[in-house]
Amino acid sequence: MHETPSDGLITTKEELEHHLSLTEEELAFDYHTTQVLPLRIPSNFLDLIDTNNPQDPIRRQVVPTSAELFSHPQEDLDPLAEVSHSVTQRLIHRYQSRVAFLTTDICPIHCRHCFRRRFTGTFQGPATDEQIEEASAYVAEHPEVKEILFTGGDVLTLSDARLKQMIAAFRSKRKDLVIRLCTRMPASYPMRITKALITMLGEFSTAPFYLMTQFNHPRELTEQAIKAVSLFVNAGIPAMNQTVLLKGVNDSVDVLETLCNQLVFNRIKPYYLFQGDLVSGTSHFRVPLQTGLALEQELRRRLSGLAMPLYAIDLPEGGGKVPLNQGYLTEQSGCGVWTFRTVEGELRSYPDPEV
Ligand SMILES: *Cc1c(COP(=O)(O)O)cnc(C)c1O
Ligand code: SF4
């Protein structure tokens, strides 16, 4: 059993047409193709769309267009090389101290920008007992692993009972394992987050949980979403947000500034702002790097350190994440004097200690 919305879930073009008058590009999407992520929009998320605006930022994230059927030659279904970094069927070990576990491919929502579309919505279902056993045995033998990401798909599509069993499997072998619950559920289907879920998590008290959300636009921070996140935070589970930089959704300094400030106000730390990955069928969402760098620079001027996410790119061919910025260190003169550009664009020098 898994918990996904069933009332008012939109999965066909006909249902969608009851709510929106589709644009030419949206109509040109092949709704019957099995090559790309199927349509899936919970009605609560659909309700956030401004139906009068064909360019609405919420709409862009969930209504497919023909642009998705096009793949740039340099795009790939697995640009982060997750498959080759898999150490068991569902466990990815790319970075020394943390692993990512694909708990399920199921999601209440299908984001058109999903970077894991090779896996998401492929009807593989939740990890089996054997896959959990295999992955937890690996973590047991690798003490360098300090954190596990429960990701997918969306981990909170698992029932409380199934999730409890999964946590117990890992924590029984590694009491010290930090667990990140990576979920878009507060935005996509906040009703899933119940007191019962939080109470269940509270039974595991040997190491912390972190909630990792994905809010891409301020309008996703609904009253219900905020309430859902506060259930975690009130229970001592810190909330961190990962935003994907998306053309036509949030590639504006005002939108990102508002989003980050509202996240902080609601006790969610903006953690990453991701440059779009080179995933097949997502080129229409990618923002030129120059634009992203300019956004980062202006955000750093406007936002507090607390509200500022780290702009990062996950490099192709599994190169991993690296931070992105224009560079504040401009030059080293050779005699141990470093020159910096300030956030306002002035220059300052900083000498090394004399040896
Ligand atoms: C992003 C990512 C992580 C976590 O990286 P952090 O920088 O620690 O947030 C872990 N594993 C994989 C495969 C990832 O893509
Ligand atoms: S919620 Fe996450 S895993 Fe699910 S479709 Fe959206 S981006 Fe992909």
Side-chain angles (χ1 to χ4, degrees), residues 80 82 85 92-95 97-100 115-116 147 149 180 212 242 271-272 274 310 314 320-321:
L80 312 185
E82 292 192 332
H85 285 103
I92 304 160
H93 195 180
R94 168 67 186 80
Y95 303 98
S97 58
R98 56 261 192 229
V99 288
F115 82 99
R116 204 174 273 137
E147 299 175 23
L149 285 66
R180 295 195 208 173
M212 312 300 290
Q242 307 191 146
Y271 177 47
Y272 275 127
F274 284 123
L310 185 69
D314 219 324
K321 295 182 183 73

Side-chain angles (χ1 to χ4, degrees), residues 148-168:
I148 188 167
L149 285 66
F150 276 6
T151 183
D154 197 312
V155 62
L156 292 185
T157 56
L158 302 175
S159 69
D160 288 357
R162 188 82 186 130
L163 179 58
K164 181 176 177 174
Q165 188 193 355
M166 200 178 278
I167 296 166

Side-chain angles (χ1 to χ4, degrees), residues 11 28-39 64-66 68-70 112 117 121 123:
T11 57
F29 178 73
D30 179 0
Y31 282 84
H32 300 290
T33 180
T34 52
Q35 305 300 312
V36 292
L37 198 61
L39 173 75
T65 71
S66 53
E68 257 180 79
L69 304 170
F70 167 81
R112 307 323 307 176
R117 52 205 295 139
F123 303 99

